[in-house]
Amino acid sequence: MTVTQDERRNGVDTATLFATLDAVKGQHEIAKFQFRASNNWVNGVHSRSKFAGFYGAGGEMLHKAAHIAEADHPSVLCGEDAAPTPVEYLLHALAACLTAGIANIAAARKVNLTEVESTVEGNIDLLGILGLDKGVRNGYQQIKVSFKLKGDDPEKLRSVVAQSAARSAVYDVVTNGVPVAIEVEAG
Amino acid sequence: MTVTQDERRNGVDTATLFATLDAVKGQHEIAKFQFRASNNWVNGVHSRSKFAGFYGAGGEMLHKAAHIAEADHPSVLCGEDAAPTPVEYLLHALAACLTAGIANIAAARKVNLTEVESTVEGNIDLLGILGLDKGVRNGYQQIKVSFKLKGDDPEKLRSVVAQSAARSAVYDVVTNGVPVAIEVEAG
């Protein structure tokens, strides 16, 4: 198959994208995925996660190579600043999910992108996690994502961003929450 | 000041931890923080975030060095697998936040840790984000965190994990959600 300009747009292989969609339409079971992170405490507030494999498309899958991400706190929060904080990774996850959606949706709609930048800001009052004010929540109080897009018609670009938010896994979890079960084996 | 064993436990400088707490008690304003990520689209579903600075402790702060995190999709999800997926970073953020809390809380309670491992699993049905079933949410349907801790008395370790969840910024956001505002500049 010759890959024409229509089949690869914004670096997205739209032929494969639509083929994936068709495959899932024909077999809903392959849409069930489980993602995983294995985290190990390093020292202090520094830890390291490994992403080796996941379940999806009907079976166990491996990443091409296991990915690693570390986390730490800056010195003002009693860390050594060896890596981003956990709360910064949350902002990254949100920006990256929305941006991936923008690229895919734009490609599917034959909208060309030349630039997608975003700044994500999360406001948090540490009186919550420090246990100093019961009226203050532990997490972010609000998050703002500011996108700057260049490419085709601005109205089309805005519509692509709106659709990305309407179909983003991370945006859904961050705005609506999800039940989290914690199990502990100690000894 | 001589750092004794009591002042540094689990790699946590407890003297500084308590001094930070006292400083915030005396001046609540310094607890207001804003964390930020600046994300740039690379190509396809691949993007890169930079964490340069943040606001906190009453002023603008810089990380020792700017941190970087990339994100991509595996090939089965039409990416090139150059980095973890956004939804995997969400699991990392959760594990790292809970683990940092465990280290701090254990140190504050004079509980020694020798090992903290966790596996985080998030189940997601892609029928949601693919727009193939309106009854299926876009994000994770549930997340399970399995901790394995070694150190002092198992009951104390379990209690430390429970307190970490009760005071975790990421756990709060992931379980309860937070309002997200999206602004777009296109053209």
Side-chain angles (χ1 to χ4, degrees):
Chain A
M1 185 181 77
T2 307
V3 175
T4 69
Q5 202 185 345
D6 268 357
E7 284 165 341
R8 182 169 283 276
R9 190 184 302 266
N10 306 327
V12 174
D13 180 349
T14 52
T16 300
L17 188 65
F18 285 121
T20 302
L21 202 59
D22 283 342
V24 177
K25 273 180 194 165
Q27 200 183 347
H28 279 192
E29 203 55 27
I30 63 173
K32 291 189 192 309
F33 275 62
Q34 182 184 76
F35 290 100
R36 302 164 192 146
S38 299
N39 185 274
N40 276 275
W41 175 54
V42 177
N43 199 31
V45 291
H46 182 183
S47 71
R48 182 180 293 124
S49 288
K50 187 174 173 181
F51 312 92
F54 54 93
Y55 176 89
E60 286 295 322
M61 313 279 286
L62 285 175
H63 281 294
K64 269 186 195 170
H67 300 300
I68 300 288
E70 307 206 9
D72 198 0
H73 287 183
S75 56
V76 70
L77 296 174
C78 304
E80 297 185 350
D81 212 356
T85 59
V87 288
E88 286 172 317
Y89 276 113
L90 199 73
L91 305 181
H92 166 59
L94 181 60
C97 193
L98 290 168
T99 299
I102 288 168
N104 274 339
I105 293 161
R109 293 181 178 185
K110 301 190 177 184
V111 173
N112 293 305
L113 298 170
T114 55
E115 193 178 304
V116 185
E117 288 179 13
S118 58
T119 303
V120 192
E121 298 170 333
N123 292 331
I124 185 168
D125 186 337
L126 302 186
L127 293 180
I129 62 171
L130 294 174
L132 296 176
D133 186 338
K134 285 184 180 173
V136 175
R137 71 178 294 179
N138 295 320
Y140 285 125
Q141 294 171 319
Q142 68 266 347
I143 293 176
K144 190 172 89 172
V145 189
S146 305
F147 273 105
K148 195 172 160 188
L149 277 80
K150 291 187 182 171
D152 287 348
D153 175 52
E155 276 319 299
K156 285 185 183 172
L157 297 179
R158 287 176 189 281
S159 165
V160 164
V161 175
Q163 182 61 18
S164 178
R167 282 281 166 257
S168 163
V170 176
Y171 179 82
D172 172 22
V173 169
V174 170
T175 55
N176 297 314
V178 59
V180 177
I182 300 180
E183 291 179 358
V184 186
E185 186 187 325
Chain B
M1 186 180 75
T2 309
V3 175
T4 67
Q5 201 186 344
D6 269 356
E7 284 164 342
R8 183 169 281 279
R9 190 185 300 268
N10 305 328
V12 174
D13 179 349
T14 52
T16 300
L17 187 65
F18 285 120
T20 302
L21 202 60
D22 284 342
V24 177
K25 274 182 195 165
Q27 201 184 347
H28 279 191
E29 204 56 27
I30 63 174
K32 291 190 192 307
F33 274 63
Q34 181 183 76
F35 290 100
R36 302 163 190 147
S38 299
N39 185 276
N40 277 274
W41 174 55
V42 177
N43 198 32
V45 291
H46 183 183
S47 72
R48 182 180 293 123
S49 289
K50 187 174 171 179
F51 312 92
F54 55 92
Y55 176 89
E60 286 295 322
M61 313 279 287
L62 285 175
H63 281 294
K64 269 188 198 172
H67 299 300
I68 300 287
E70 307 206 9
D72 197 1
H73 286 183
S75 56
V76 70
L77 297 173
C78 303
E80 296 186 350
D81 211 356
T85 59
V87 288
E88 286 171 318
Y89 276 112
L90 198 73
L91 305 182
H92 166 58
L94 181 60
C97 193
L98 290 169
T99 299
I102 289 168
N104 275 339
I105 293 161
R109 294 183 177 183
K110 301 190 178 183
V111 174
N112 294 303
L113 298 168
T114 54
E115 193 178 306
V116 184
E117 289 180 13
S118 59
T119 304
V120 192
E121 298 170 333
N123 293 331
I124 186 167
D125 186 337
L126 302 186
L127 293 179
I129 63 171
L130 294 173
L132 296 177
D133 186 339
K134 285 184 181 173
V136 174
R137 70 178 295 177
N138 295 320
Y140 285 125
Q141 296 170 320
Q142 69 266 348
I143 293 177
K144 189 173 89 172
V145 189
S146 305
F147 273 106
K148 194 173 159 185
L149 278 81
K150 290 185 182 171
D152 288 347
D153 174 52
E155 277 319 298
K156 286 185 181 171
L157 298 178
R158 286 177 190 281
S159 166
V160 164
V161 176
Q163 182 62 18
S164 178
R167 283 281 167 255
S168 163
V170 176
Y171 179 83
D172 173 22
V173 169
V174 170
T175 54
N176 297 313
V178 60
V180 177
I182 299 181
E183 292 179 357
V184 186
E185 186 187 325

